[in-house]
Amino acid sequence: MSLAVRPPATVGTARRWAMLAASTVAQAACAVMAHGPAFLIPALHDQRGLSLAEAGVVAAAPTVGVMLTLVAWGLLTDRRGERLVLVSGLVLTTLAGLAAVLVDGLVPLTLALFLGGAASACSAAASGRVVVGWFPPHRRGLAMGIRQMAQPVGVGVAAVSIATVADRHGVGAALWVPTIATAVAALVVVLVVLDPPRPPAKDGPAPSPYREDGFLARVHGVSMLLVVPQFVVWTFALVWLVQDRDWSPAAAGALVAVAQVVAALGRIAAGQLSDVVGSRTRPLRWVAVASAVAMGLLGLAAGLDSAVAVPLMVVATALTVADNGLAFTAVAERAGPHWSGRALGLQNTAQFLTAALVPPLGGLAVTHAGYAATFALAAVFPVVAVALVPVRGERPLG
């Protein structure tokens, strides 16, 4: 099947949902490649003699690769189509993973994982574009919520598989996990995904939607603000349970895994809600309010050493990620078929940059003020986001 194949104007319901499944698989596989090496840190330290700092550099390499190439993949998606980008990117990710399996030494391994991350960024814009392009407005929120489950699912798969395989069989064996995952995803995309229909641009290149008004810039800003409480909880929930609540690492890890499942379901619920009310920004504002309340209550309960702090952590985990699909869908719809690849690339880049700052700055806050104060401080960011959500600037869905 040619990568350049053009689909008919419409497809059946079964094929549409199959393409959603394929896009979700692609995004999950790329998440395994981008985030999976973080679970190699103990093995890199114990088996290959790397310092924790060196192992951290190796683990961060694919994330850096993703961050540097998101906009470029988005531009290619705008110009050449979703199918070609997904297939070529997944194949390149697989080849980089294979190189990571075969190479030896700190620098070659780091470079291979960097290239794997750079290639895996293909799915961020292209798989989202497949969903937006093939689903009608009244189903996009739900569909994108399902697609946005891919990241926590991918991280969960990586956490369970890569750490276990690395401990039992070594780093090289563990790197087969993302390599095989992306190879399977590439095959699924080839068999299932079609480029959605795209109207031709009139009178030359389509004008930038960023010049029309500040809607897209405000959504990017809101997403950056809401990433802060999300990554505060993701980064520090487990260690808080172990250090402050005296949980065992196994029990804490199990609860965090359950919280991720709840969070994935929350993304679907938020997307469905946006379809029902006919708006992406109103539910986005509601999520911001709920996140602020949840983080504030979590900080208070943790400070009082209350038993309710633990279920509040699960609630906060779910609420602080519920915005992702809403913002992603709003950006794609507003940017239009000729600019959404670049707009989604900018959306993801902004979130990655913010997320990268949270662990070190949050670590400083925990060190000097404690977990409770850090959780409470994170509530300030969604409070600011509430005022920034461009509800009045949203256009009717359709």
Side-chain angles (χ1 to χ4, degrees):
M1 185 183 294
S2 169
L3 295 184
V5 63
R6 288 291 166 182
T10 59
V11 297
T13 300
R15 185 61 178 271
R16 184 182 298 119
W17 285 94
M19 286 193 282
L20 170 60
S23 299
T24 304
V25 167
Q27 180 66 19
C30 289
V32 175
M33 173 59 77
H35 302 290
F39 301 103
L40 290 174
I41 290 177
L44 289 168
H45 178 61
D46 296 336
Q47 298 173 15
R48 297 200 176 182
L50 301 184
S51 68
L52 290 177
E54 290 172 332
V57 170
V58 174
T63 304
V64 175
V66 170
M67 193 164 51
L68 293 178
T69 54
L70 281 165
V71 175
W73 279 115
L75 175 60
L76 186 61
T77 302
D78 287 336
R79 294 185 175 178
R80 300 300 300 273
E82 296 80 357
R83 177 182 163 84
L84 182 143
V85 166
L86 280 174
V87 174
S88 59
L90 287 165
V91 169
L92 290 172
T93 306
T94 302
L95 293 175
L98 182 60
V101 170
L102 299 176
V103 299
D104 192 18
L106 174 62
V107 174
L109 177 60
T110 302
L111 179 60
L113 291 176
F114 169 82
L115 294 174
S120 73
C122 67
S123 68
S127 65
R129 279 277 297 268
V130 170
V131 175
V132 173
W134 280 119
F135 279 79
H138 67 283
R139 287 287 182 268
R140 281 182 196 148
L142 172 61
M144 193 63 79
I146 294 173
R147 184 262 184 192
Q148 291 296 93
M149 286 179 61
Q151 184 181 23
V153 168
V155 172
V157 168
V160 171
S161 59
I162 290 179
T164 302
V165 175
D167 180 57
R168 296 178 180 178
H169 305 288
V171 172
L175 287 170
W176 278 109
V177 173
T179 304
I180 293 173
T182 52
V184 171
L187 178 61
V188 171
V189 169
V190 167
L191 295 175
V192 176
V193 171
L194 300 171
D195 282 339
R198 184 182 313 186
K202 300 178 180 179
D203 301 323
S208 170
Y210 289 92
R211 295 179 180 177
E212 296 179 10
D213 52 39
F215 182 89
L216 289 173
R218 289 180 66 176
V219 174
H220 296 333
V222 168
S223 295
M224 293 173 71
L225 289 166
L226 294 180
V227 158
V228 175
Q230 174 186 332
F231 271 79
V232 165
V233 176
W234 277 19
T235 304
F236 299 107
L238 189 145
V239 68
W240 166 67
L241 289 169
V242 172
Q243 291 186 348
D244 269 24
R245 310 294 298 188
D246 296 322
W247 284 42
S248 69
L255 182 64
V256 170
V258 169
Q260 290 294 325
V261 173
V262 175
L265 296 175
R267 291 184 175 189
I268 297 177
Q272 175 65 16
L273 177 62
S274 76
D275 288 338
V276 171
V277 302
S279 170
R280 314 300 178 204
T281 57
R282 277 187 286 146
L284 184 59
R285 177 177 282 177
W286 299 337
V287 168
V289 171
S291 297
V293 172
M295 292 303 298
L297 290 176
L298 174 58
L300 177 62
L304 296 175
D305 199 25
S306 170
V308 78
V310 174
L312 278 172
M313 185 275 291
V314 177
V315 172
T317 300
L319 289 174
T320 56
V321 303
D323 65 287
N324 287 9
L326 298 171
F328 205 85
T329 309
V331 167
E333 290 175 333
R334 186 55 163 260
H338 300 288
W339 264 87
S340 58
R342 280 162 284 185
L344 292 174
L346 287 170
Q347 169 79 5
N348 281 289
T349 301
Q351 290 183 298
F352 264 92
L353 285 171
T354 306
L357 296 174
V358 171
L361 295 179
L364 287 174
V366 169
T367 300
H368 294 287
Y371 290 104
T374 301
F375 293 148
L377 179 62
V380 174
F381 293 87
V383 169
V384 177
V386 170
L388 191 60
V389 177
V391 174
R392 293 184 179 178
E394 185 175 23
R395 297 169 183 167
L397 302 184

